[in-house]
Structure formats: C-alpha cells, structure tokens
Amino acid sequence: MAQENGTRNQDIDYEALSRSLTEITAKSQELVQEFLQQEQSTHHVAMEDAAQMAQLFQQLSARVMADPARLMQVQMSFWQDYMSLMQNVALRFWGLESEPVAQPAKGDRRFQHQHWEDHPFFDFVKQSYLLAADHTHAVVRDVEGLDDQTKKKVDFYTRAFIDAMAPSNFVATNPEVLEKTVETGGQNLLQGLSNLLDDLKRGRGRLDIKMTDYDAFEVGTNLATTPGQVVYQNELMQLIQYEPTTAEVHKRPLLLVPAWINKYYIMDLNSEKSMVKWLVDQGHSVFIISWRNPDESLAEKRFEDYMLEGPVTAMDVVQEITGSDEMNLVGYCLGGTLSACTLAWLAARGDRRIQAATFLTCMLDFEYPGELEVFLDEEQIATLERRMSRQGYLEGRYMSTTFNMLRANDLIWSFFVNNYLKGDEPFPFDLLYWNSDSTNMPAKMHSFYLRNMYQRNLLKEPGALELAGEAIDLGRVDIPAYFMSAKEDHIAPWKSTIRGPRLLSGPTRYVLGGSGHIAGVINPPHKNKYGYWTNTAKTVDQDEWLAGAEAHEGSWWNDWGQWLAGHGGESVAARKVGSKKHAPIEPAPGSYVRHGVLYGD
C-alpha cells in the first residue's frame, strides 16, 4: 500500500494533517469529559452484570485449565496454522502465488476492500485474525464440564469479543480508513469523533449509534402514509381504520396486531413497501393497533391488560363500525403471541368472532428461542427486573441494543467503522429508521412475558397460564390459521415457529419465506425477491420439512393473499371510516406513534 500511495505522498499537506490531529486531541478530551459527566448520574453497566460476566469466564478458564492436554493440542494446531500463514506471506513477498490459510465467510462484508486481498500486509492481518478467531471458537466450543446454558452464553460473548477485535474496527489495520485519513488530512477522524460525541449526547451517555439519516424520514410524511383515521384510543393503543380503495370489500374485516417492541408502521413503511396498503388494495377492510410508548405511569400494566385493552377492545370497535360479527386476525411477532393468547381466551368464553388468523414470524412454543436464550436465564431476568423496578419500565434502547447484538457485525460494527473511523454519515434507510424507533416495556407486562413464555414455556401447556380469569389452552383454537416464518430469522427462529401449528386444533398452513425477521415479512410482490417454500407435512423437523417443500419464486404475499381471500367472506360495499359512536379522532398515523426516542421524548 505504501508503494501504491507513494506517488501521492508529495501531495499530502502535513501541516493540515498536524492541525487535524490537534483538533482530534481536543475533541477527544471533550468526549471523555462528556462521558464522565453522564456516568456520574447514570449507571449503564450494573455491578451485577459485570459480576455475572466475570463469573462466566472464570468457569470457562477453570474448565479449560482442567484439561491441559486438550489446551496444548489446540495451541499446537494454532501454531502450525500460523506457521503456514507465515510461509504464505513469505511467498507473496517474493511475488509467488499461494493459497490462503484462512478465508472470511461468504458474505462477510468487513473484508471487501481490495487491499484485504491484494496487499500482503493487510492480507496477513486479515488471515491472522481469522485464524485466532477460529481457534478461540474451538477452545470454547470443545470445552467440557459446562452446562448447556453456560456454554451458550460463553460462546455468544466470546463471539461478541472476537467481532469487536476485528482489524476492520481499528484505524491502523483498516486499509480503507487509512486511505481516507491520508486523503482528508485526518478530517475523517475528527468528524468521526464529532459523530461519536453526538451519539453519546443523544443516548444520554449510552452509545446510541446512528444507523440512518434521521432527518430524511418523518412519520406521516414519507412513512406510514396510507390514508386512514384513528377511530378509537385508550391508555395502551390507538386503533386506525384505513380508507378503502376498492368499490367492494370482503365481508370479514382484518385486524392487525403488531408487536409493541417497535412502532406499528413496519407494516406501513411507504407506498412501495406497505403491507397495509397492499391489503387495502386487495379489498380488505383493514384496522391496525398502534401501541403507545409506555412510561412510568403504565408500570402496572400486565400482559392481560395488553390483551383486553388491545385486540379484545379493538374487536368490539371493529364490530361496531363494520356491523360484522365475523373478522380475521393478523399478529406479527410478539403481536402474534398475544393474538394466540387472545384466541384461546375467546375460545374459553365461547366467542367465535375471529374466523381465521395469521401468525407472522411468531413463537407459540419457546423451546428453541435462538440466541436470545443467552439473555434469559434466572440471573439475567432478575437483574432486568431490578432495572425495571427503578423506573417502572424497560427502556426501548436496552431492547434495541440486545437485538442489535445478535447481528453485531451488521448492526453495530459496520456503523462504528462508517460513522466514527471513516467519518461518514449513514445513508437514509427506512427499515433502519424504524429499527431505531424503539419503545419501552412496562415492568409487570415484560416480566410476565419473559418468565412465562421464554423461561417456563407455559403457553404450549394447556391450562398452564391464566389470563383475565380464563385458562389458556391453544388446543381450543380450531379456526384456520396461516403461519409465516423467515428462513434467516434470528429473533423468532423457524426451528421454534414450526412448532406453532401443532398446538392449534384447526387447519393450518405453514409457509417459509427467505431473508430475516423484517425483510422476509415486508416483501411486497413487485420486488420479486427471496422466494418462499410450502409444505403440507406436519413435521417439526426442519430438514425433513424443507426437503419435502415446494419452492416458489417471488413473495410469500402472493400465497397469503389467496389464503386471505378464501377466508374473507362474501363481497360487500366498501365501508366508510368510523361511525357515529366511533367518529374519527385524528388522521393516521395518529399521535401515539410520534412518542419515542426519535422525537425527543
């Protein structure tokens, strides 16, 4: 790289570079002072968190040292690979071709710059890191004597450490950053420090990495723009009814129940990606719940309150406005779990207004929760409950950070390099704007959800849960149900979601889409992306199900649209928005959706 840049060295303004470094020093002092001031009043890493982490790796160290022969074997293996790498480097410096000892995984975007491949020094740094990472994983993966939960936690946090130590995350070992530092006279680093300070201020001392251009989006202007009206509201939610675009609609209206971890408008991003608009254009009367972002005043709200004041109340309003005593339900993620509880509660009371239900990337059986499991043992839930008890809710930023850690290279370190080392501003991206628009979790509700769903997995057990005076038995739900999961979902893994249909007693259809938890679901047909698989077999074995599945091109929405139409009932004249009893309160997207971290709350 030095040879390639040699012809440009004479153009470097070393005086300007020196000034930039002086400014960087001053900005760094400002950054440290700001951080220390925030830490004086806010404890972002609880002592119990640090103690648990230390204890975790003490157990690992003890188990590793208990088998010195195995440790020596791994060390020898690493030494042999490293010697091969050194030989590889020597050959390259002599101008000879040689096969790499270690290669990044397919799709690893950290090492895309050409110098990671064609420059001997950076190729050596890259391969050294990959070798060390592989052998560290081997030590953790093969250690004996740890229980499964501890082993999963050690593996997760080891991978987090390895990701953090990637050479792409440091100025001196990232060729792209070095090039930009020379080209800009260090201004990229100065701008990066300024970006870092802004993110700390916005996060009130916690690093809140900016993932997109927040000024490029506004809810109601270029997000959540499908025409409609808020027709009802209570403490927990606003109910939006959308204006019809067809002369006739299906008799059975659709009630959409999104998760309350983020805002509802993931289902109404813009005219090109809006599931809501697509459903309206398909001739459905569409209603959606927009959950409130709770504060300390809602600390006592329970899971059953979300059910009663959410979908149960919404059903009453939908029935009054449309005059239909039959409707269909759509639940997304946590909203799907709540929808299943609601259906079981209704079944216990003999209420048959819901005629068909859709569950989007939703877990009903929590036996295999994926990597989220590392955050859900007794110690960590108890720590979380103590955190929530101090203010009555769990901050949305905390939940957002947890989910981002599951894909740290894509959702943390790529932005760290772009924003702080390269000094660039992130690109406008509506999905990442929504992802940053997190919401809080009321203490009582969230504790119930974590303990009874994730930790104890009681929802799958008939009668093990009681909500609002009724025993919850999913086996009493005998209506047609459509399950959609995503093949690369790291939040609701399809190893878990495939177990949902067997818990209901009605006819079910299970469809597997491509991509992940968000992009896999929000996949409009005109994009013709990802594809999907269908299989009528009732097996819960992933390999068996996929081997017997039929592959389809395009979006799973096409399949779902046919299924919905078949359960939508006869055609009736399009309905007006609202009624005398439930007159429109304000235009969609309503006011509840505008409360949160991106709006200065």
Short mmCIF file of all heavy atoms in Angstrom, two decimals, residues 210-218 222-223 270 273 415 418 425-434:
data_model
loop_
_atom_site.label_atom_id
_atom_site.label_comp_id
_atom_site.label_asym_id
_atom_site.label_seq_id
_atom_site.Cartn_x
_atom_site.Cartn_y
_atom_site.Cartn_z
N LYS A 210 -25.92 5.95 15.43
CA LYS A 210 -26.84 6.42 14.41
C LYS A 210 -26.74 5.53 13.18
O LYS A 210 -25.69 5.42 12.57
CB LYS A 210 -26.50 7.87 14.04
CG LYS A 210 -27.47 8.53 13.08
CD LYS A 210 -27.05 9.98 12.83
CE LYS A 210 -28.01 10.69 11.87
NZ LYS A 210 -27.57 12.08 11.62
N MET A 211 -27.84 4.89 12.82
CA MET A 211 -27.81 3.91 11.74
C MET A 211 -28.31 4.45 10.41
O MET A 211 -28.08 3.83 9.37
CB MET A 211 -28.66 2.69 12.11
CG MET A 211 -28.11 1.90 13.29
SD MET A 211 -29.08 0.41 13.57
CE MET A 211 -28.15 -0.32 14.92
N THR A 212 -28.98 5.58 10.45
CA THR A 212 -29.51 6.15 9.22
C THR A 212 -29.66 7.65 9.40
O THR A 212 -29.46 8.18 10.50
CB THR A 212 -30.87 5.52 8.85
OG1 THR A 212 -31.29 5.98 7.56
CG2 THR A 212 -31.94 5.86 9.88
N ASP A 213 -30.01 8.33 8.34
CA ASP A 213 -30.24 9.77 8.41
C ASP A 213 -31.64 10.01 8.97
O ASP A 213 -32.64 9.86 8.27
CB ASP A 213 -30.09 10.37 7.00
CG ASP A 213 -30.30 11.88 6.99
OD1 ASP A 213 -30.54 12.46 8.07
OD2 ASP A 213 -30.22 12.47 5.90
N TYR A 214 -31.70 10.38 10.25
CA TYR A 214 -32.99 10.57 10.89
C TYR A 214 -33.79 11.72 10.28
O TYR A 214 -35.02 11.71 10.31
CB TYR A 214 -32.80 10.81 12.39
CG TYR A 214 -32.18 9.65 13.13
CD1 TYR A 214 -31.28 9.86 14.17
CD2 TYR A 214 -32.49 8.33 12.80
CE1 TYR A 214 -30.70 8.80 14.86
CE2 TYR A 214 -31.92 7.27 13.48
CZ TYR A 214 -31.02 7.51 14.50
OH TYR A 214 -30.46 6.46 15.17
N ASP A 215 -33.11 12.69 9.73
CA ASP A 215 -33.80 13.84 9.15
C ASP A 215 -34.45 13.52 7.81
O ASP A 215 -35.23 14.32 7.30
CB ASP A 215 -32.82 15.01 8.97
CG ASP A 215 -32.29 15.53 10.29
OD1 ASP A 215 -33.02 15.43 11.29
OD2 ASP A 215 -31.15 16.03 10.33
N ALA A 216 -34.12 12.36 7.25
CA ALA A 216 -34.65 12.01 5.93
C ALA A 216 -36.07 11.44 6.02
O ALA A 216 -36.72 11.26 4.99
CB ALA A 216 -33.73 11.01 5.24
N PHE A 217 -36.53 11.15 7.24
CA PHE A 217 -37.82 10.50 7.39
C PHE A 217 -38.69 11.22 8.41
O PHE A 217 -38.20 11.79 9.38
CB PHE A 217 -37.65 9.04 7.82
CG PHE A 217 -36.83 8.22 6.87
CD1 PHE A 217 -35.49 7.96 7.13
CD2 PHE A 217 -37.39 7.74 5.70
CE1 PHE A 217 -34.73 7.22 6.25
CE2 PHE A 217 -36.64 6.99 4.82
CZ PHE A 217 -35.30 6.73 5.09
N GLU A 218 -39.98 11.17 8.16
CA GLU A 218 -40.95 11.70 9.10
C GLU A 218 -42.21 10.86 9.01
O GLU A 218 -42.79 10.68 7.91
CB GLU A 218 -41.29 13.16 8.81
CG GLU A 218 -42.24 13.76 9.83
CD GLU A 218 -42.55 15.22 9.55
OE1 GLU A 218 -41.99 15.79 8.59
OE2 GLU A 218 -43.37 15.80 10.30
N ASN A 222 -43.38 10.64 4.86
CA ASN A 222 -42.88 9.62 3.92
C ASN A 222 -42.80 8.23 4.55
O ASN A 222 -42.26 7.32 3.97
CB ASN A 222 -41.53 10.03 3.32
CG ASN A 222 -40.49 10.33 4.39
OD1 ASN A 222 -40.74 10.19 5.58
ND2 ASN A 222 -39.32 10.76 3.95
N LEU A 223 -43.34 8.09 5.74
CA LEU A 223 -43.54 6.80 6.39
C LEU A 223 -44.95 6.77 6.96
O LEU A 223 -45.47 7.81 7.38
CB LEU A 223 -42.54 6.59 7.54
CG LEU A 223 -41.05 6.52 7.20
CD1 LEU A 223 -40.24 6.51 8.48
CD2 LEU A 223 -40.72 5.31 6.36
N ASN A 270 -43.95 2.62 3.42
CA ASN A 270 -44.26 3.61 2.38
C ASN A 270 -45.11 2.92 1.31
O ASN A 270 -45.38 1.73 1.41
CB ASN A 270 -42.98 4.22 1.78
CG ASN A 270 -42.05 3.16 1.20
OD1 ASN A 270 -42.47 2.30 0.43
ND2 ASN A 270 -40.78 3.22 1.57
N LYS A 273 -43.70 -0.35 -0.02
CA LYS A 273 -43.43 -1.47 0.88
C LYS A 273 -44.57 -1.74 1.85
O LYS A 273 -44.44 -2.62 2.71
CB LYS A 273 -42.16 -1.20 1.68
CG LYS A 273 -40.90 -1.02 0.85
CD LYS A 273 -39.71 -0.70 1.76
CE LYS A 273 -38.45 -0.46 0.95
NZ LYS A 273 -37.30 -0.10 1.82
N PHE A 415 -21.46 0.22 11.34
CA PHE A 415 -21.75 1.64 11.56
C PHE A 415 -20.64 2.30 12.38
O PHE A 415 -20.36 3.49 12.18
CB PHE A 415 -23.10 1.79 12.26
CG PHE A 415 -24.26 1.36 11.41
CD1 PHE A 415 -24.84 0.12 11.60
CD2 PHE A 415 -24.74 2.17 10.40
CE1 PHE A 415 -25.89 -0.31 10.81
CE2 PHE A 415 -25.80 1.76 9.59
CZ PHE A 415 -26.37 0.51 9.80
N ASN A 418 -18.09 3.06 9.71
CA ASN A 418 -18.56 4.09 8.80
C ASN A 418 -18.66 5.46 9.47
O ASN A 418 -18.20 6.47 8.93
CB ASN A 418 -19.93 3.70 8.25
CG ASN A 418 -20.47 4.69 7.23
OD1 ASN A 418 -20.07 4.70 6.08
ND2 ASN A 418 -21.39 5.55 7.65
N GLU A 425 -21.62 9.97 7.11
CA GLU A 425 -22.98 9.93 7.62
C GLU A 425 -23.68 8.70 7.05
O GLU A 425 -23.48 8.34 5.89
CB GLU A 425 -23.75 11.19 7.19
CG GLU A 425 -23.32 12.45 7.92
CD GLU A 425 -23.69 12.42 9.40
OE1 GLU A 425 -24.76 11.87 9.74
OE2 GLU A 425 -22.91 12.93 10.21
N PRO A 426 -24.49 8.01 7.85
CA PRO A 426 -25.19 6.83 7.33
C PRO A 426 -26.21 7.22 6.27
O PRO A 426 -26.74 8.33 6.26
CB PRO A 426 -25.86 6.25 8.57
CG PRO A 426 -25.98 7.40 9.53
CD PRO A 426 -24.79 8.28 9.27
N PHE A 427 -26.47 6.27 5.37
CA PHE A 427 -27.42 6.51 4.29
C PHE A 427 -28.86 6.48 4.80
O PHE A 427 -29.16 5.80 5.79
CB PHE A 427 -27.26 5.45 3.20
CG PHE A 427 -25.95 5.51 2.48
CD1 PHE A 427 -24.98 4.56 2.70
CD2 PHE A 427 -25.70 6.53 1.56
CE1 PHE A 427 -23.76 4.61 2.04
CE2 PHE A 427 -24.49 6.59 0.90
CZ PHE A 427 -23.52 5.63 1.13
N PRO A 428 -29.76 7.19 4.15
CA PRO A 428 -31.18 7.10 4.51
C PRO A 428 -31.71 5.70 4.21
O PRO A 428 -31.53 5.19 3.10
CB PRO A 428 -31.84 8.15 3.60
CG PRO A 428 -30.74 9.05 3.17
CD PRO A 428 -29.52 8.21 3.11
N PHE A 429 -32.31 5.06 5.18
CA PHE A 429 -32.86 3.71 5.01
C PHE A 429 -34.04 3.57 5.95
O PHE A 429 -33.90 3.60 7.17
CB PHE A 429 -31.79 2.67 5.32
CG PHE A 429 -32.17 1.25 4.96
CD1 PHE A 429 -33.21 0.99 4.08
CD2 PHE A 429 -31.49 0.18 5.51
CE1 PHE A 429 -33.56 -0.31 3.74
CE2 PHE A 429 -31.83 -1.13 5.19
CZ PHE A 429 -32.86 -1.37 4.30
N ASP A 430 -35.24 3.42 5.36
CA ASP A 430 -36.46 3.43 6.16
C ASP A 430 -36.51 2.30 7.19
O ASP A 430 -36.98 2.50 8.32
CB ASP A 430 -37.71 3.41 5.26
CG ASP A 430 -37.65 2.33 4.19
OD1 ASP A 430 -36.78 1.43 4.27
OD2 ASP A 430 -38.48 2.37 3.24
N LEU A 431 -36.04 1.11 6.82
CA LEU A 431 -36.07 0.00 7.78
C LEU A 431 -35.21 0.28 9.00
O LEU A 431 -35.59 -0.06 10.13
CB LEU A 431 -35.59 -1.29 7.10
CG LEU A 431 -36.63 -2.09 6.31
CD1 LEU A 431 -35.97 -3.29 5.64
CD2 LEU A 431 -37.77 -2.55 7.20
N LEU A 432 -34.05 0.92 8.80
CA LEU A 432 -33.18 1.23 9.93
C LEU A 432 -33.72 2.40 10.74
O LEU A 432 -33.47 2.48 11.95
CB LEU A 432 -31.76 1.52 9.44
CG LEU A 432 -31.01 0.29 8.93
CD1 LEU A 432 -29.64 0.69 8.38
CD2 LEU A 432 -30.85 -0.76 10.03
N TYR A 433 -34.45 3.30 10.11
CA TYR A 433 -35.13 4.36 10.87
C TYR A 433 -36.15 3.73 11.81
O TYR A 433 -36.20 4.04 13.00
CB TYR A 433 -35.81 5.34 9.92
CG TYR A 433 -36.53 6.47 10.61
CD1 TYR A 433 -35.88 7.67 10.87
CD2 TYR A 433 -37.86 6.35 11.01
CE1 TYR A 433 -36.53 8.72 11.52
CE2 TYR A 433 -38.52 7.38 11.66
CZ TYR A 433 -37.85 8.56 11.90
OH TYR A 433 -38.50 9.58 12.55
N TRP A 434 -36.96 2.82 11.26
CA TRP A 434 -37.95 2.13 12.10
C TRP A 434 -37.26 1.34 13.20
O TRP A 434 -37.71 1.34 14.34
CB TRP A 434 -38.80 1.20 11.23
CG TRP A 434 -39.63 0.25 12.02
CD1 TRP A 434 -40.86 0.49 12.56
CD2 TRP A 434 -39.27 -1.08 12.43
NE1 TRP A 434 -41.29 -0.62 13.26
CE2 TRP A 434 -40.33 -1.59 13.20
CE3 TRP A 434 -38.15 -1.88 12.21
CZ2 TRP A 434 -40.31 -2.87 13.74
CZ3 TRP A 434 -38.12 -3.15 12.75
CH2 TRP A 434 -39.19 -3.64 13.51
#
